[in-house]
Amino acid sequence: MGPLELLGHPVRLRIVHALRGGRSLTTAELGERIADVSKATLYRHVELLAEGGILEVAEERRVRGAVERHFRLRVASASITPEQLEQLTVEDHRRGFAAAMAALVAEFNAYVERDGADPIADLVGYRQHGIWLTEAELHQLIEGLRAAILPALSNEASPGRSRYLLSPILFPTNDDA
């Protein structure tokens, strides 16, 4: 299974999100973070990601006679290259978008269902804006977003930091001028 198929599933995307930021987690720890997915399903998807090279074993330990594996994300393998992106069909984009939206809905539901969830205090946002742009303005907007987001992607978990899921979505609508 290639990276497109591996990353095109909502549960696998949630596993990838959980391991971002340099985290190393066991499947049990992943299960705590993705509690709405059964253990069997989670283990199966972790194994697929490991076999596909998206995850690697960071550490193995003996725990009560069993081997406990800590997995980490192979960041370079957990994204789609520009060359792969060029090969995607409209149907590939449709499936990828649906998987991303399903993962986003599942993550949001997990957030609002946890004790103490406070969308106002946590500055949760999900607005949509229709904007008119020339091609040059579109490129400028995208570069500005990249410049704002890229530095934060390398932040590691630390006291005082909370993990947020940011999902920029941009596509043209059918509105005519």
Side-chain angles (χ1 to χ4, degrees):
M1 197 179 304
L4 298 176
E5 294 84 10
L6 284 168
L7 297 171
H9 190 281
V11 172
R12 292 192 290 269
L13 277 178
R14 292 178 70 196
I15 293 167
V16 167
H17 290 314
L19 289 166
R20 288 218 185 266
R23 282 193 172 139
S24 172
L25 301 171
T26 66
T27 47
E29 291 168 329
L30 282 166
E32 292 169 8
R33 287 170 169 74
I34 309 173
D36 57 311
V37 174
S38 74
K39 285 184 180 182
T41 299
L42 184 68
Y43 277 75
R44 184 173 68 249
H45 287 293
V46 166
E47 192 61 33
L48 284 171
L49 288 167
E51 288 173 1
I54 306 289
L55 302 182
E56 65 184 358
V57 176
E59 178 185 355
E60 288 185 336
R61 280 190 258 180
R62 279 254 186 247
V63 178
R64 294 183 293 276
V67 175
E68 178 184 76
R69 289 194 256 163
H70 288 250
F71 291 94
R72 72 175 157 229
L73 192 60
R74 295 181 68 218
V75 177
S77 301
S79 60
I80 297 169
T81 67
E83 295 78 24
Q84 291 169 321
L85 191 58
E86 288 180 14
Q87 300 301 314
L88 295 180
T89 66
V90 170
E91 193 55 38
D92 292 332
H93 282 283
R94 185 176 285 125
R95 280 193 307 274
F97 186 81
M101 292 302 97
L104 187 60
V105 167
E107 291 286 351
F108 185 77
N109 286 336
Y111 160 72
V112 296
E113 290 171 7
R114 77 177 187 225
D115 290 339
D118 186 346
I120 302 300
D122 292 335
L123 301 175
V124 171
Y126 41 85
R127 292 176 182 85
Q128 293 181 342
H129 305 280
I131 55 177
W132 296 91
L133 301 168
T134 65
E135 186 174 346
E137 292 167 332
L138 175 61
H139 287 279
Q140 183 179 7
L141 175 67
I142 291 168
E143 286 306 312
L145 290 170
R146 282 186 183 138
I149 295 168
L150 281 176
L153 292 178
S154 61
N155 289 352
E156 294 186 10
S158 66
R161 275 198 178 136
S162 297
R163 188 166 85 70
Y164 288 82
L165 183 60
L166 179 64
S167 300
I169 299 169
L170 179 69
F171 57 89
T173 62
N174 289 331
D175 294 338
D176 290 327

